[in-house]
Amino acid sequence: MQLKPEFKQNKYRTHTTSMLTESNIGQQVKTSGWVENIRDHGGIQFVDLRDHYGIVQITFQQNAELLTNIHRECCVSIGGEVIKRAADTVNDKITTGKIEIMAQSLEILGDISENLPFEVTSSKETNEDLRLKYRFLDLRNPAVHNAIVYRAEVIDFMRKTMQEMGFLDMQTPILSASSPEGARDFLVPSRKHHGKFYALPQAPQIFKQLYMISGFDRYFQIAPCFRDEDARADRTAGEFYQLDFEMAFAEQDDVIEAGEYVLSKTLERFGISANTAPYPRLTYAEAMLTYGTDKPDLRNPLFMKDLSDLFTNSDFKPFADKTVRGLRVPGMAEKSKSFFKNMEEFALSIGMKGLGYVTLEQDMTFKGPIDKFIDDKTRAELKTRMKLQVGDVLYFIADVGKTADIFAGQIRAELGNRLGLIDPKKFEICWIYDFPMFEEDERGKPAFSHNPFSMPQGGKAALDPESGDIFSVKAYQFDVVINGVELASGAVRNHSNEIMARAFEIAGYSEEDLKSRFGALYNAFKYGAPPHAGMAYGVDRLLMLMLGEDSVREVIAFPLNGNAQDVLLSAPSEVTEQQLREVHVKVR
């Protein structure tokens, strides 16, 4: 990070570590920071002094008494002369590696009164809850510190890119109303309105649509979103941020083009090597059939094909009249029996009843547990359809409907990892589109599969009961996927009360429900709502991928832990009876 020109000297420092170069040799300087390390080399003491910008070595050659009562991580201001390091002591790993400061004065600005709970420079090896309890120390670790600096720079670049495209940086409220958007709300009791609650927004969805109806053309913000969900490696419990944007008078391709531009420019600016835009586009149906997931990792070269028709009237009951997917694994026949056994155990662990396979031998015959259940005609068709070569393994995944795809996707992912087929340094990006408008819930009833405010393809006519299977209706919805991680979701929005009422009716909501729960949109749609569309990138997830971290919490300055607790500030916490009375709440 470069210093701004307005940096001024003061009593604490004349220079930061980023300002110190060989041009300062012979000058008197003062710099401030934290003592990272204290070393004694034959009577000469050295201190590695760390500030926000880097590290500089301080030499205490004739005035070691200055180090009395100095401890690692205490905050100090040190003055002295900049000198050139001896050639054999140059440290090319730091920007100040060719110079050091000969200390002449030292002032303790912030002392250490307790033992350090962990080694700051290796804090990432410490238990996560301990790191988060002392996050202010953890954030001094250069690796952790630099991740937050990186976050600020990436967000700043994304903001500027959106502004260059004509989007206005606008804000939406934090205190809002509860709405069924797919996750639990965080509720805030009202003091002035007895028995009523605000909700923290799961997303700026309704407000950004209202911006479009208000006559604004292009909106964006780095928006905080709040969802009461369990944490995962790529999802925080509670709060996350997204680059949210919306466009008036826009179609699906307009949003995809804008989203593609900001993402590709951001990755290019920060030196991330990725497949170039325009990114591949896969329909939801294609993704599920080929990769067994709507979040495919395209770094994995394995893919599936439909073999259901070959086993429609099969005597082999596990395949008969089932959805059957074939997964070809080139050259895998040489693997040990234990490898195949371990894969079968994995299949059983995820709920499959077994994992059938055959190998193609040198004489072009099949060998394997289920070869005896396959007739010659089917064998010939399998060789052709799956383009099998000698040494290949063909796995069969069979089950009812969509379950077969999901199992096949899990087997594909596991094989990719076990066989080392995935390059961790690659970024493979794609779009998934044409999502179904509805999916079956646990009762077999229609429920929104994606964003409930999306426009169905075909408009109201597509939602007509006489038009056919409601589960076959597609919506103008699309996702961005990077390396198997869903990074963004978007949609063309519904801007018609008639269509919205019908869509919500199918999902089990009455028009009165619609009016009471989404009254603002319902009312606004009566006053000339324009067609509009938008999407949102998960900023935390993007940063996690860009920095190669395994957990999204590594790129957030003060995250909740995996159990949705702030162990730094001890939240959630109990409050007083008086506070509860003020907001008319009784704990049961």
Side-chain angles (χ1 to χ4, degrees), residues 166-177:
F167 287 83
L168 289 177
D169 190 352
M170 308 171 81
Q171 291 73 50
T172 52
I174 297 300
L175 285 180
S176 185

Side-chain angles (χ1 to χ4, degrees), residues 180-245:
E181 294 185 41
R184 293 184 188 89
D185 286 322
F186 281 103
L187 301 176
V188 181
S190 170
R191 175 181 59 83
K192 296 193 69 172
H193 304 280
H194 192 168
K196 295 186 177 180
F197 293 80
Y198 303 100
L200 304 183
Q202 294 187 28
Q205 182 70 49
I206 293 176
F207 288 108
K208 68 179 181 178
Q209 290 191 246
L210 291 174
Y211 267 141
M212 299 300 100
I213 299 168
S214 302
F216 296 96
D217 196 59
R218 292 189 168 197
Y219 138 98
F220 90 96
Q221 70 172 317
I222 305 296
C225 303
F226 305 89
R227 297 179 187 177
D228 188 1
E229 298 177 308
D230 292 337
R232 299 189 312 227
D234 65 350
R235 182 175 75 191
T236 56
E239 178 182 352
F240 64 94
Y241 283 79
Q242 60 187 33
L243 169 61
D244 192 64
F245 68 88

Side-chain angles (χ1 to χ4, degrees), residues 25 114 181 261 264 270 308 502:
I25 291 174
E114 294 189 10
E181 294 185 41
Y261 182 82
S264 62
F270 290 91
S308 305
R502 176 60 185 141

Side-chain angles (χ1 to χ4, degrees), residues 472-527:
S472 67
V473 176
K474 297 181 179 65
Y476 289 110
Q477 299 168 330
F478 40 91
D479 285 355
V480 177
V481 176
I482 298 183
N483 296 352
V485 176
E486 179 192 321
L487 185 66
S489 288
V492 174
R493 315 302 181 190
N494 198 334
H495 66 281
S496 159
N497 273 338
E498 186 180 20
I499 299 174
M500 186 164 68
R502 176 60 185 141
F504 274 78
E505 179 188 4
I506 292 169
Y509 297 91
S510 69
E511 190 159 2
E512 288 306 310
D513 291 332
L514 190 58
K515 291 177 182 178
S516 65
R517 306 191 77 167
F518 305 106
L521 270 184
Y522 190 88
N523 191 42
F525 284 173
K526 300 175 184 176
Y527 297 93

Side-chain angles (χ1 to χ4, degrees), residues 355-375:
L355 183 60
Y357 68 90
V358 294
T359 61
L360 187 60
E361 302 297 295
Q362 287 285 350
D363 60 0
M364 301 303 290
T365 61
F366 281 163
K367 179 182 177 182
I370 65 167
D371 175 48
K372 60 186 176 183
F373 301 108
I374 304 174
D375 59 41

Side-chain angles (χ1 to χ4, degrees), residues 320-341:
D321 298 317
K322 297 284 179 57
T323 298
V324 183
R325 301 298 185 231
L327 177 62
R328 174 193 167 218
V329 189
M332 189 186 139
E334 63 183 21
K335 289 293 181 182
S336 66
K337 289 182 180 179
S338 63
F339 186 94
F340 288 92
K341 186 174 185 299

